[in-house]
Amino acid sequence: MNENSTQTAATAPLVAHSAAIAAIVDRLGAATVAVRGRHGSVASGVVWQDGLLVTAAHVFRRPPASVTLIGAGGRSIEATLVGVDASTDIAVFRLAGEHGLVTIAPGDAATVRAGHFAIAVGRSLEGDPVASAGMVNRAAGEWQTWLGGSLDRLIRLDGGVYEGLSGAPVADASGAVVGIATSALSRSYGIVVPASTVSRVVAALLATGHVARPWLGVGAQPVPLPASAGGGAGLLISSLAPGGPAERAGLLIGDIVVRAAGQLAADLRALRSALAAHVGKSATLSVLRGGAAKELQVEVGEWPAERRGC
């Protein structure tokens, strides 16, 4: 065996690995575009379902009613706005006419684990495919974003997201798309919005043009619960919005919310999660008032964008 054949045999797995990555880039690249944002910013977008493109909301100050996207070879593609959910950094546009893009098939983000391979595939303003590969730094359960959105799963990359790759599909080692990359939900790491979250947000935006968030009209802070109440933590009500759902239900400043809709309410994120499916519906709040247990029925409102708390 000569030296050249030895080198070929030794490098064959690496060559095969490289070819497999390039094949993923080619396949996902056929579904991606570049998106121009404010002040020269750029993102990528991907056809999530037939005729609908998903991209990163944060590249727009105010999402325009229509955009011109950049496809392969610099081809212009027109699209109109369906809706935006800033809390999950998702913007959805409807493609116009014959766009020539393919549709990806979302995978299952629930299988993603720390250490798994991850590859983001986008497109440059010149229409060329771009890609970045790394690994998953952390994978955990449901996660609340700093803007109040709910991700079905926390998937954190081992670094940031390169310019232009927010909104890009992120695939695992098999090429299955597990979510959308964003640089807007963490200061230190790239975050992958899970495929199930993207699909849920897309469905809500198609139905109503926005994503409903629960709102009680309270300010609250976590406090330890007495042993007589089972220990743990609850939420001490420190303020009430005049005429808000909580005030109308009879909640008082000084009450401690222990459970909401049957789930523990140890902090505001837990409270929002417990009430997420109850917007516009009635839910039971279990509270401590002067040390005595009490239950209240509250009609959960929809969170006004200018509000904070819950």
Side-chain angles (χ1 to χ4, degrees), residues 101-119:
L101 298 167
V102 303
T103 304
I104 59 103
D108 184 7
T111 63
V112 175
R113 292 163 38 203
H116 274 180
F117 181 78
I119 178 169

Side-chain angles (χ1 to χ4, degrees), residues 64-161:
S66 62
V67 293
T68 299
L69 310 167
I70 303 166
R75 181 167 57 92
S76 295
I77 300 169
E78 302 301 319
T80 55
L81 182 66
V82 172
V84 173
D85 179 37
S87 69
T88 54
D89 198 31
I90 294 293
V92 180
F93 290 85
R94 190 181 301 279
L95 298 167
E98 294 296 325
H99 49 76
L101 298 167
V102 303
T103 304
I104 59 103
D108 184 7
T111 63
V112 175
R113 292 163 38 203
H116 274 180
F117 181 78
I119 178 169
V121 180
R123 195 165 293 279
S124 72
L125 288 175
E126 292 73 32
D128 305 312
V130 294
S132 175
M135 72 175 185
V136 175
N137 168 273
R138 182 185 176 194
E142 183 179 354
W143 186 63
Q144 299 288 319
T145 75
W146 67 278
L147 287 168
S150 177
L151 303 189
D152 299 337
R153 186 167 172 78
L154 170 62
I155 303 174
R156 193 172 74 181
L157 301 175
D158 64 341
V161 175

Side-chain angles (χ1 to χ4, degrees), residues 16-47:
H17 175 69
S18 179
I21 294 175
I24 292 173
V25 173
D26 287 343
R27 181 169 59 82
L28 296 186
T32 63
V33 298
V35 183
R36 286 191 179 94
R38 59 175 175 164
H39 306 313
S41 60
V42 60
S44 293
V46 61
V47 184

Side-chain angles (χ1 to χ4, degrees), residues 199-263:
S199 294
R200 172 167 54 81
V201 170
V202 169
L205 294 177
L206 283 173
T208 65
H210 69 288
V211 176
R213 307 290 180 200
W215 181 61
L216 294 183
V218 300
Q221 62 187 47
V223 293
L225 294 175
S228 59
L235 280 170
L236 174 67
I237 302 302
S238 56
S239 65
L240 292 166
E247 187 182 68
R248 293 197 303 269
L251 203 66
L252 301 177
I253 292 175
D255 284 349
I256 300 175
V257 179
V258 179
R259 289 180 177 270
Q263 299 182 40

